[in-house]
Amino acid sequence: MNWVKVLSQSELPQDARKVVSIGDRKILLLHHSGQVYAMDNACPHLKLPLKSGKIQDGAIVCPFHRSAFDLRTGNVTAWSTFPPLVGSLLGAISSAKAVAVFPTRVDQGSIFVGVENA
């Protein structure tokens, strides 16, 4: 695993979000409840961005179809629940998939993300 320095700690205050590029990936960084999380910025449902999603019960909720993903594991906690009635049909377009998450660490005032082959 390679640790890539992505930001200074001061650039991601509590409750902030920022999208960074590592290779060809767009990675969403979130500073929530004193923890820095990193995940793909694309919802695996229709590849729409997660950056503006709400944080609810330890998960980020996609602002488009309300699929939700655990911040720590990326596992699906809800799949395409919106819009009512149509959401389940839209969810059938793509089976439930976790969002990729990446380990983070803060060291000497910098945020690092662990990625394979970066």
Side-chain angles (χ1 to χ4, degrees):
M1 172 157 322
N2 295 315
W3 288 96
V4 178
K5 181 179 174 180
V6 292
L7 294 175
S8 72
Q9 189 175 8
S10 64
E11 292 179 85
L12 196 70
Q14 179 64 36
D15 298 322
R17 301 163 187 218
K18 189 163 260 206
V19 177
V20 297
S21 294
I22 298 178
D24 60 354
R25 292 190 106 125
K26 300 290 184 202
I27 296 179
L28 172 61
L29 297 173
L30 303 112
H31 189 175
H32 177 71
S33 295
Q35 177 69 38
V36 176
Y37 297 95
M39 62 182 52
D40 272 339
N41 188 41
C43 175
H45 178 220
L46 294 176
K47 305 298 182 210
L48 298 170
L50 289 171
K51 182 180 181 188
S52 62
K54 292 181 181 178
I55 304 298
Q56 186 174 355
D57 299 325
I60 188 164
V61 180
C62 176
F64 300 98
H65 298 110
R66 299 190 186 152
S67 295
F69 307 92
D70 185 281
L71 291 173
R72 292 169 293 116
T73 65
N75 291 337
V76 175
T77 61
W79 188 251
S80 191
T81 63
F82 186 81
L85 302 176
V86 178
S88 60
L89 294 174
L90 290 172
I93 292 171
S94 175
S95 60
K97 294 180 210 101
V99 67
V101 296
F102 305 91
T104 63
R105 74 174 194 223
V106 177
D107 187 21
Q108 297 183 8
S110 295
I111 298 171
F112 293 81
V113 175
V115 292
E116 297 294 326
N117 303 322

